[in-house]
Amino acid sequence: MSRFDKTEKLILLTALLALVVFSYFLYDDSLLFSKVTNARLELIGDVAQSKNDVRRKNSDTFSWIPALRQDKVFQNDSIFTGENSHATIQLQDGTQIQIEPNSLITLNSQNGQMNLDLRYGNLVGELAQGSSLTVKSGVQEFKLESRQNTQQKSKIQLKKAPSGQVGMKLISGNLQYKNPRKQTVAELPQNATVAVTQKGDVRPVEKPQLFLRTADKVRWLREKPQDPLPFAWQSRGDISRYEFEMSSTADFNTVLIAKSTSEMQTQVTEKLPSGVYYWRLKAVSSEGEIQVQSPTQQIFLTQLGVPEIITPTPAAAINLTVKGTPENLSAATPWQWKAEPALRDFRWQLSQTEDFSAVLGEGRSKTLSVLSPKLPAGTYWLRVQGATAEQKVSAWSEPVSFSLNLTAYKEERPAPPILVTKDISFQPPGKERAPASPTAPQLVWKPVLQGKSYQVQIAKDIQFTESEKYEVAQTQMAWSRYRPGQYYYRVYTQGQNGLISEPSEVGTLNIHVQGVILNPVKAIHVIASRPEPKQATLSWNEVPFAKSYLIEFDKNKNFSQPQQLNAAAPSAQLTLAEPGSYHIRVQALDENSKPLTEFSNIEEALYSFRSPLVSPTLVEPFNNASIFLQTEAEPFIWLEWKKVPGATVYNLEISDKPDFSHILISKSIDGNRYLIKDRVPMGKIYWRVKAEAKGDSEISDWSEKREFTLYHQKNETFVK
């Protein structure tokens, strides 16, 4: 048995030794294929530098061998660099090629021209003066030539993207790019990355860009915890993949979700609590470099939870003593639940089985509580479902079972409450309310002996067909969900034994809103050749609960044929089509475009128009008239001209000089006539008139100049 053990050990050692030897042969075939064959290959350079995992293989050999420093490089040699590895190949014509990590190239020389087949990866070539390099990548092939007598060597970087596109960047020197298809020559620009197109041309490489299609600060409502949250984007440029990150903080100290994808979209299906989240996107190149990072955007997530029943508690035994005969007892009990604020409307179901295969009753409520229908003794199951304002429906709550045990009780039901104030009138406070003014109408009633709590009902109609219900422990309640209009309210007492009283008297709630007060409208005065439509600015006070405002305007004060305009804010621009006096009033409307207030006070918008002032037309005396006076005393001569539309005053000048350099009389006259009472010299007298509108500060040009000659009884004439 021991001898058999030694044989097994020998076989195992021999197998391990053979495995090591053949593994080395796979790594280095120099022992299998003699290096003497290298003598038959054309030498094209050597390995100037080798770091980490650098390997070499000729097309005539079977396997890769390490490429060490000062190793020779022959025709059709392929050079491979692994992770964090690089190599430098020095060619015989002085060209130097630096091969970056994760790259593979093949070198060969033909007719004195160096050819480089870039399979994948990146490299930096330094071309000697006057040398050339033909680069091949797939079906693309182009030639790079360095000029003679240049100050420095030409250095170029080549990168092959996953798409197969080759990018080039001239780092220093001068290089010419030759397009073999079009037989054209182009100078490569320095420090600018260009790519070779399918037609063999070079074009600038587009800088990677990200465009987020999912809006910022978007609000998402999840009905189920695993509902997908979609994110989408667009991009430009050479991008290999995208890194998606989501965090609960804007600094991304803790990344909740990280996804890597090559698509321009992703979905988040992980469970997340309601709250604010931040997300961003990174574009990564094929080398693993982050090319560009998007701005951080927010999302507001609401996880639609299910209501949780508070009352009755699970497996509760409700023991009530009620009035009635033992065979005909029934009682109502309060049901309460809690839910997220997003849930506004609730639906409840009652069954006597946990699977609700047979529903005994169901109902709806807009509050977090409801008074059950009267039920006979028995065991029941209750569940509640909620819905948002957008009719997004939650799942059913966990069913809660309860037992209702009833015994006959002759005690009277609790007395109904007595309202302290039966008719309540309330006006919502404005924006600048007094600190002590109430913010909601207060309902108050007197306490009831043996009353445990109170139930308040508020409805739009006096029959309370659709009412809001509230349960309070105090004897007062502030109705914070009020709206304008008239409402009815009543209060029930719930006794210690669970019995509900008859309702109190019905009270009224009148919610008044402040009326609309229209501010005075500034008059519009226009002086022009013809009237055009003008804008009048209207403004009024903001009315609480108003969703819009109705504007009516009419030239008749009784608004017999009014024109109407709607405004969303307490201001508007009113177009006055033609001059005239317009009467304006405003009314506030609710969300259903129904009147919320009466019409406001009536204000007048005046649009006056007149043409520009013209020069007055002189009437009397006629030009060059001769006037004979009996004496040399005051002449008493009337001057008259035609009235000018729009003029309020006329300026008159009388002179004995034709250029009016010497003024005898200068007057401002309201009418269109003037009597000369002042003594003036005999001879030629000159006069002219211009019109003026004082309210508009407008003055016309002077009228034509007229003259007349004064003679006295001796027939003496003084002419200047």
Side-chain angles (χ1 to χ4, degrees), residues 255-269:
V255 176
L256 300 177
I257 298 172
K259 294 177 179 290
S260 179
T261 179
S262 59
E263 303 291 333
M264 285 189 285
Q265 62 182 0
T266 189
Q267 289 184 342
V268 172
T269 57

Side-chain angles (χ1 to χ4, degrees), residues 39-317:
R40 295 185 285 105
L41 300 177
E42 180 184 349
L43 180 66
I44 60 174
D46 56 30
V47 180
Q49 187 179 7
S50 175
K51 183 178 180 181
N52 296 336
D53 182 15
V54 181
R55 297 178 233 169
R56 178 175 62 89
K57 183 182 81 68
N58 192 269
S59 60
D60 294 339
T61 61
F62 174 72
S63 61
W64 294 88
I65 62 173
L68 305 177
R69 188 173 179 272
Q70 297 183 350
D71 276 0
K72 302 301 181 183
V73 178
F74 298 94
Q75 179 82 344
N76 293 325
D77 268 5
S78 296
I79 309 297
F80 166 79
T81 56
E83 191 79 22
N84 299 321
S85 304
H86 63 268
T88 302
I89 307 301
Q90 184 72 40
L91 302 179
Q92 287 185 326
D93 64 353
T95 298
Q96 191 178 78
I97 299 175
Q98 299 175 12
I99 308 173
E100 301 296 325
N102 299 316
S103 301
L104 175 61
I105 67 171
T106 299
L107 298 168
N108 64 72
S109 178
Q110 187 177 4
N111 299 326
Q113 299 289 330
M114 180 55 62
N115 298 327
L116 185 148
D117 188 357
L118 179 58
R119 304 293 183 84
Y120 57 83
N122 309 325
L123 58 87
V124 176
E126 190 175 281
L127 276 67
Q129 295 183 10
S131 64
S132 64
L133 180 65
T134 299
V135 180
K136 181 180 179 183
S137 174
V139 297
Q140 290 183 341
E141 184 176 316
F142 53 88
K143 190 175 183 179
L144 302 174
E145 288 187 350
S146 177
R147 293 182 179 179
Q148 292 279 6
N149 303 322
T150 56
Q151 296 293 329
Q152 57 182 351
K153 290 184 177 181
S154 298
K155 195 172 185 179
I156 188 168
Q157 183 182 42
L158 301 175
K159 285 188 175 183
K160 186 170 183 180
S163 61
Q165 177 179 276
V166 177
M168 297 185 294
K169 181 178 181 182
L170 182 60
I171 300 174
S172 61
N174 296 283
L175 277 180
Q176 288 184 332
Y177 167 81
K178 286 191 174 183
N179 185 343
R181 296 187 180 184
K182 298 184 178 179
Q183 299 299 321
T184 58
V185 179
E187 293 285 341
L188 290 181
Q190 279 198 4
N191 295 321
T193 303
V194 296
V196 180
T197 66
Q198 292 182 352
K199 295 182 179 180
D201 299 322
V202 291
R203 61 171 177 80
V205 174
E206 185 177 14
K207 183 179 180 181
Q209 291 179 290
L210 285 175
F211 307 95
L212 302 183
R213 292 175 56 193
T214 301
D216 189 18
K217 298 182 180 178
V218 65
R219 297 183 179 273
W220 277 325
L221 177 65
R222 267 183 164 179
E223 296 183 43
K224 299 179 181 178
Q226 292 84 12
D227 284 349
L229 306 178
F231 296 87
W233 57 88
Q234 291 179 330
S235 66
R236 293 179 184 171
D238 185 20
I239 298 174
S240 175
R241 69 180 192 277
Y242 307 93
E243 298 291 342
F244 173 86
E245 292 181 342
M246 180 180 285
S247 174
S248 59
T249 58
D251 55 11
F252 284 82
N253 283 339
T254 302
V255 176
L256 300 177
I257 298 172
K259 294 177 179 290
S260 179
T261 179
S262 59
E263 303 291 333
M264 285 189 285
Q265 62 182 0
T266 189
Q267 289 184 342
V268 172
T269 57
E270 288 82 354
K271 291 184 179 181
L272 294 171
S274 300
V276 181
Y277 294 91
Y278 303 84
W279 70 282
R280 65 187 180 188
L281 196 67
K282 298 177 182 178
V284 184
S285 67
S286 57
E287 293 82 23
E289 298 178 355
I290 296 177
Q291 302 280 27
V292 64
Q293 179 174 298
S294 72
T296 299
Q297 292 196 167
Q298 284 181 296
I299 66 168
F300 299 90
L301 177 63
T302 300
Q303 183 64 56
L304 194 60
V306 298
E308 181 182 349
I309 298 175
I310 302 174
T311 304
T313 58

Side-chain angles (χ1 to χ4, degrees), residues 553-605:
F553 58 100
D554 196 342
K555 285 190 175 182
N556 297 322
K557 196 170 184 179
N558 58 1
F559 290 86
S560 57
Q561 293 180 332
Q563 300 182 59
Q564 295 183 337
L565 177 69
N566 280 89
S571 63
Q573 293 291 325
L574 179 62
T575 300
L576 305 181
E578 59 184 17
S581 177
Y582 295 83
H583 302 282
I584 306 169
R585 63 185 182 182
V586 182
Q587 185 180 48
L589 306 179
D590 61 12
E591 61 272 10
N592 299 317
S593 298
K594 300 296 183 181
L596 189 63
T597 65
E598 300 293 333
F599 275 104
S600 67
N601 54 303
I602 299 174
E603 291 290 338
E604 180 184 19

Side-chain angles (χ1 to χ4, degrees), residues 513-528:
V513 294
Q514 181 183 0
V516 182
I517 301 175
L518 179 61
N519 297 324
V521 183
K522 185 177 180 180
I524 301 174
H525 302 285
V526 177
I527 302 173

